[in-house]
Amino acid sequence: MSAAASPTLRVLKWSFLGAGVVYGFWHNRTLAAQAETKRFDAEWARKEKLIADAKAAYAKKNSTSTPGDLITDVNDPNFDLEKLIDSVTKQ
C-alpha cells in the first residue's frame, strides 16, 4: 500500500464532507424555523393576554350596574329578558 490515499478513499472523504455540510445547513435552517415559530407564538400569546386584560379592565370600568339595575347588554351573563320587557312595558 502506498503512502497516498487511494482515489476511492479520497472520493469517499470528500463525499462525506459535502454530505455533512449539506446536513449541517439543513439542520440549522430547521432549528432556526422552529425558534422563529416559538418566538411568534410567544408574541401572539402576549398580545392575546394584553387584549384580554384590556377587555376586562374596560368591562370593569364601564360596569356600574348593581343587582337592581336593568341590564340591557345581551352579552352580559346577568342579562334578564323578562326584566327588560317589563321595564319597556312600564314606560
Side-chain angles (χ1 to χ4, degrees), residues 1-79:
M1 195 122 172
S2 66
S6 68
T8 306
L9 187 59
R10 277 188 271 151
V11 168
L12 282 175
K13 284 182 189 178
W14 285 104
S15 296
F16 283 128
L17 178 64
V21 168
V22 170
Y23 172 75
F25 178 74
W26 173 77
H27 190 63
N28 185 33
R29 288 190 51 147
T30 303
L31 292 176
Q34 288 174 352
E36 183 63 29
T37 301
K38 284 181 183 179
R39 196 171 23 254
F40 177 77
D41 290 343
E43 182 66 19
W44 189 266
R46 184 186 72 81
K47 287 179 181 180
E48 283 181 334
K49 183 181 180 311
L50 285 174
I51 290 170
D53 291 346
K55 283 182 179 180
Y58 180 79
K60 186 176 181 182
K61 176 184 169 192
N62 291 336
S63 174
T64 58
S65 64
T66 60
D69 288 347
L70 177 65
I71 299 173
T72 58
D73 182 14
V74 294
N75 294 324
D76 192 338
N78 297 324
F79 176 72

